Amino acid sequence: MQTAEELRALLRRMDGRSYGAYRSLRGAWALGGGVALFVDRVQGDPFAAPSRMRLRLDSLDAGWPAALWRGRVRRIAFEDWLARRVADAIAREVRGRRGSGKSGRVFIDSGGQAVLERSAAQVEEGFVEARLEVGLPAAGRRVLGREAEELLAEELPRLAAAALPCSEAALREAQRFADCAENHAALQAQLTERGLAAFVADGAVLPRESGASQRPLRSGAVPFRAPDSLRVTLDLPNAAPGPDGEMQRAVSGLGIPLGVTLIVGGGYHGKSTLLQTLERAVHPHIPGDGRECCAALPSAVKIRAEDGRRVVGCDIHGFIRELPQGRSTAPFHSDDASGSTSQAANIVEALEAGAKLLLLDEDSSATNFMVRDARMQALVHRDFEPITPFVDRVRELHEALGVSTILVMGGCGDYFEVADTTIEMRDYAPRDVSAEARRIATAQQSGRVREARAPLRAARPRAPLPGSIDAKGRREVRIDVRGRDGLGFGEQHIDLRAVEQIVEPSQVRAIGYALHAARRFMTDGAALPGVLDELDALLDSQGLDALARGANLARPRRFEIAAALGRLRSLRVAVPPKGSNTGGGGED
């Protein structure tokens, strides 16, 4: 490992030379005070993607107690927190742009309101490490050696000294952060034990400050409070502030039971806000977010209609029978699916990936998929309607397949007859109106006839063909991220706008690399659930570096990976024969 003085001398010598001279920086440099700088990749010019570097501090110098990050949940939380601390230090210690293009820019992927497993920071027995993007200074395409010396030999060591060592105040903050994530994991673990699909703590702040922000609304938000009939109390491994501000080791709030739950109420009374909280409650949140003690089953998946999406080899026959002109729906293929067929496919694909809780909002659903009322049934005979409405399948999903549903419904009371629990949001407060909804359903018969003709059965899983999943651009693997909404995958674009549980662009990048990595598991007709299992095992054992070392990655769930795969327009699948749960069968 070369010394800081050798680094300074090298940068002075290359001052004014062409930008390619920066390539000689690759390697390891001892910056003093136990800090090492690793230059892993040097950008080709000041306008290209920034250089990749790592700042590492020896554990003895860092001083973080191992107990802080013992266990998977706490380790993920501590690494997430450390990346945020480094980002704060960058704002204080780094001067910023100095020269052309990205010159002087220093960046770390530090996340938003959710706590995620990410590649930006790493903690091991021997060191803590921050992984940075650094724009090497240049004027045009000429090296600014003195500016680079200030950046690499002065500012980065100050950055490391400010962010990586333990202090009494930092330890308290990191402990609080890890405790919060561990509490969320404990709440999730108790859901199934208690027969719950989700939990929302009393005192939680659900509204966000705007439609474009996940930060909490700071003024005017009504703290959440569960109705007594649905209030449950769950245990916490670490003390957390309660609604009155006092620290407590148990938390009370709304327990949404497994089964079929309706969220009803007038417009603007908080129905969709509650559902959006549940969508995000699959992840822990940072202290102060307002939703720290809200949890949903980790296999919860938001479902919506998605006009125009591609569907390949998906058996939607349980929801939509054979289409006009003899077009099969078992399996179903479309390059431009309708609202109803896309929503059916989204459900089947979520179940294929292992979802046990579906979240739906009537505002983003296809009306003809959700219900056909008695008058429409009288006018259009069911022999000429291929759709089996969701209202006629939602109970079977729970009773036959063990899949619960939470549904926002503001305009159709036909669901009263099939709901186990009905929650009315009124002035942002939940009320248990289950008994009243059942009474209304009994007293005011809808007159509609159930349209399911055959029992609902689990669809056969598909076997993706690896040759149809190509991330290669003209010469090499090409993964481009377009915010949270799109993924450039090789020469293709995957539209992810309707995959609403992606919370960060770094997850999109990881999805791209995960799809590329998944090809190795798609052998001998392997069915998609098994491929996802193999991916999960790989990430659990080797972390995100198993996908792409040096990239800004945050771990997505298997459901978002499967959703992206299903929207890949080149995808081809083999459909296993009837009676088979693995691969094989005909290609689609």
Side-chain angles (χ1 to χ4, degrees):
M1 189 177 292
Q2 300 180 80
T3 67
E5 285 308 312
E6 290 173 311
L7 175 62
R8 288 179 180 273
L10 176 62
L11 291 169
R12 290 169 186 167
R13 288 196 303 271
M14 68 174 66
D15 186 43
R17 296 174 58 187
S18 66
Y19 201 87
Y22 272 133
R23 287 194 294 268
S24 59
L25 289 174
R26 285 183 296 205
W29 305 87
L31 301 184
V35 177
L37 173 66
F38 296 86
V39 181
D40 298 321
R41 186 185 68 80
V42 176
Q43 63 204 95
D45 64 62
F47 301 93
S51 301
R52 293 281 180 182
M53 302 185 188
R54 290 174 289 138
L55 277 176
R56 179 181 289 183
L57 182 61
D58 182 272
S59 287
L60 292 177
D61 295 302
W64 296 103
L68 172 63
W69 45 274
R70 184 170 294 128
R72 178 175 176 77
V73 171
R74 298 186 69 84
R75 181 193 188 99
I76 289 172
F78 177 60
E79 290 177 342
D80 183 286
W81 174 85
L82 188 62
R84 297 167 191 269
R85 191 178 191 221
V86 172
D88 290 342
I90 288 172
R92 299 192 306 270
E93 305 295 341
V94 177
R95 178 153 62 93
R97 181 173 177 176
R98 55 188 92 189
S100 306
K102 297 179 174 64
S103 293
R105 177 180 182 264
V106 178
F107 171 80
I108 189 169
D109 181 42
S110 56
Q113 296 300 106
V115 179
L116 300 175
E117 181 179 354
R118 62 181 70 253
S119 61
Q122 186 176 7
V123 55
E124 298 288 351
E125 292 293 343
F127 62 85
V128 294
E129 179 178 278
R131 299 175 174 185
L132 309 174
E133 291 181 350
V134 179
L136 292 170
R141 286 178 170 81
R142 294 288 174 181
V143 168
L144 291 177
R146 298 288 180 175
E147 296 285 350
E149 179 185 356
E150 181 185 19
L151 175 61
L152 301 184
E154 297 176 16
E155 292 181 350
L156 290 191
R158 289 203 304 269
L159 169 63
L164 298 183
C166 182
S167 67
E168 186 176 339
L171 180 59
R172 286 196 302 269
E173 186 180 344
Q175 180 82 42
R176 177 169 169 249
F177 201 94
D179 286 353
C180 188
E182 194 171 48
N183 283 344
H184 177 268
L187 293 175
Q188 277 192 319
Q190 292 173 77
L191 292 178
T192 302
E193 298 171 7
R194 299 287 296 272
L196 300 176
F199 174 81
V200 182
D202 287 342
V205 176
L206 307 191
R208 302 294 94 185
E209 66 179 8
S210 74
S213 170
Q214 282 295 311
R215 290 190 292 269
L217 182 65
R218 294 299 181 186
S219 61
V222 177
F224 192 87
R225 183 166 179 80
D228 291 341
S229 56
L230 293 175
R231 180 175 287 111
V232 299
T233 300
L234 303 180
D235 297 325
L236 299 175
N238 309 292
D244 56 4
E246 294 185 5
M247 302 302 288
Q248 55 188 22
R249 293 294 290 269
V251 59
S252 297
L254 171 66
I256 299 179
L258 297 171
V260 180
T261 298
L262 299 185
I263 302 173
V264 303
Y268 305 99
H269 281 257
K271 303 187 303 297
S272 294
T273 298
L274 175 56
L275 191 74
Q276 289 161 7
T277 295
L278 302 181
E279 293 172 27
R280 299 285 180 134
V282 296
H283 299 298
H285 286 84
I286 64 174
D289 173 80
R291 302 170 295 185
E292 300 94 318
C293 287
C294 300
L297 290 175
S299 60
V301 177
K302 173 67 183 299
I303 300 295
R304 60 171 298 151
E306 190 177 352
D307 286 328
R309 67 152 290 191
R310 184 171 192 258
V311 179
V312 57
C314 194
D315 184 353
I316 63 173
H317 188 260
F319 296 97
I320 301 178
R321 302 189 311 278
E322 187 176 86
L323 298 175
Q325 300 180 339
R327 189 176 178 189
S328 175
T329 59
F332 175 71
H333 177 90
S334 175
D335 288 325
D336 187 21
S338 67
S340 57
T341 55
S342 66
Q343 189 159 1
N346 288 343
I347 291 174
V348 172
E349 289 176 346
L351 301 184
E352 180 182 42
K356 290 298 180 182
L357 173 60
L358 304 180
L359 308 174
L360 292 86
D361 191 326
E362 65 173 343
D363 285 349
S364 56
S365 295
T367 302
N368 62 337
F369 178 78
M370 297 303 291
V371 70
R372 265 199 344 136
D373 65 20
R375 288 175 174 171
M376 191 58 70
Q377 287 180 328
L379 180 64
V380 179
H381 193 274
R382 71 173 186 167
D383 289 346
F384 301 99
E385 175 52 80
I387 300 173
T388 300
F390 189 68
V391 69
D392 292 330
R393 289 300 197 193
V394 68
R395 287 230 54 85
E396 281 185 288
L397 280 169
H398 178 55
E399 294 169 358
L401 303 182
V403 177
S404 296
T405 299
I406 300 175
L407 169 64
V408 167
M409 182 61 68
C412 178
D414 288 346
Y415 275 84
F416 291 173
E417 296 177 356
V418 297
D420 298 298
T421 306
T422 304
I423 299 168
E424 180 189 6
M425 294 299 296
R426 182 183 296 180
D427 293 328
Y428 315 110
R431 301 172 64 243
D432 181 5
V433 294
S434 304
E436 186 176 356
R438 285 191 289 268
R439 180 190 62 76
I440 292 171
T442 301
Q444 301 179 26
Q445 294 291 316
S446 71
R448 71 177 306 275
V449 177
R450 188 173 185 272
E451 296 188 288
R453 297 191 178 190
L456 181 66
R457 295 184 176 89
R460 288 169 290 146
R462 301 165 297 166
L465 301 181
S468 68
I469 304 167
D470 188 3
K472 291 290 184 67
R474 293 182 179 178
R475 291 185 299 274
E476 57 187 19
V477 171
R478 175 178 168 268
I479 305 293
D480 292 334
V481 175
R482 299 154 195 188
R484 291 187 293 113
D485 294 338
L487 171 64
F489 186 78
E491 297 297 323
Q492 300 183 71
H493 172 74
I494 303 177
D495 187 346
L496 298 173
R497 287 175 296 175
V499 187
E500 298 182 46
Q501 288 171 288
I502 295 174
V503 299
E504 289 188 16
S506 298
Q507 287 181 303
V508 176
R509 185 176 294 106
I511 287 170
Y513 284 108
L515 293 179
H516 179 63
R519 289 162 48 104
R520 75 185 80 166
F521 306 123
M522 296 176 183
T523 57
D524 301 322
L528 181 57
V531 173
L532 297 172
D533 289 343
E534 294 278 9
L535 265 178
D536 277 338
L538 175 69
L539 293 173
D540 287 345
S541 63
Q542 299 183 35
L544 290 163
D545 282 352
L547 300 181
R549 188 172 179 85
N552 289 329
L553 306 179
R555 185 168 176 176
R557 302 184 307 156
R558 62 191 286 138
F559 307 102
E560 285 75 63
I561 295 172
L565 178 64
R567 288 157 179 76
L568 180 65
R569 290 195 169 264
S570 64
L571 177 67
R572 290 180 292 116
V573 300
V575 182
K578 291 183 178 180
S580 171
N581 288 322
T582 56
E587 181 182 324
D588 193 10

